[in-house]
Each structure stands twice: as structure tokens, then as C-alpha cells.
Amino acid sequence: MSKFRRPPLSQKEKEQLADNFIEGAARSAPVEKKEKDKKEIIFLRIPKSLHDDLERICNLTGYKKNMFCLQAILEAAKDKLRQIERES
């Protein structure tokens, strides 16, 4: 037996891992959280041409791709919310 092998998990550790797994699973309906999350992660698949454009913006302005995308998404989301609220 290898000296680097982890010891078996206790029942409490197994339950904690199961709870963590269930919490991370996709849900069909949103779940209310007790405290407000400060950040979320989003992954996007984008065309290579858009990535190249973002890279050019970064090289020309020094504005990082993530910050540029975040700013663009924030503005677009706010505009879309205003539009939806006007139509409602």
C-alpha cells in the first residue's frame, strides 16, 4: 500500500461531500440563498473572430478582455432590463 494513500472517509465527511455535490448540481428552479453572493462565474463559447477582436482591444488599450466583457454585459443587461420594464 502506498504511503500517500488517503485514509478512508468518515461518515460525516461522506455526508459533507454528498451535500456539497447536491448543492452544486443544476436545478430546474432557482433556490433562494441566505446571503447574497458577491461573484459568480460564467463561461462563454465565442467565435474565434470575437476572441481576436477582444485580443486587439486588449493590445491597443490595455483593457483586459474580462473587464471589457464584464462592462459590456453590465451595460447590455441594464439596457435590456429597462426595455423589459417599459414594455411591462
Side-chain angles (χ1 to χ4, degrees):
M1 184 156 102
S2 172
K3 63 181 179 179
F4 296 107
R5 186 177 169 133
R6 283 182 55 183
L9 297 175
S10 68
Q11 186 62 28
K12 185 176 180 180
E13 290 172 320
K14 288 179 186 178
E15 289 174 6
Q16 183 62 43
L17 285 174
D19 289 342
N20 291 345
F21 178 79
I22 291 171
E23 284 296 314
R27 292 184 171 84
S28 59
V31 175
E32 290 186 33
K33 295 185 179 182
K34 293 181 181 178
E35 61 184 60
K36 186 177 179 181
D37 292 329
K38 294 182 181 181
K39 293 184 180 182
E40 291 289 329
I41 297 173
I42 187 170
F43 294 98
L44 300 173
R45 290 181 181 259
I46 59 172
K48 175 79 169 106
S49 60
L50 176 56
H51 182 267
D52 293 342
D53 291 343
L54 293 171
E55 194 67 40
R56 284 188 66 209
I57 290 170
C58 181
N59 291 336
L60 293 171
T61 64
Y63 205 52
K64 301 294 182 195
K65 292 183 283 189
N66 282 348
M67 289 308 299
F68 179 80
C69 290
L70 178 60
Q71 187 63 34
I73 290 170
L74 287 171
E75 290 176 15
K78 287 178 184 178
D79 290 345
K80 188 64 175 178
L81 281 173
R82 282 188 212 112
Q83 177 189 0
I84 291 170
E85 288 171 350
R86 278 193 304 257
E87 293 173 357
S88 297

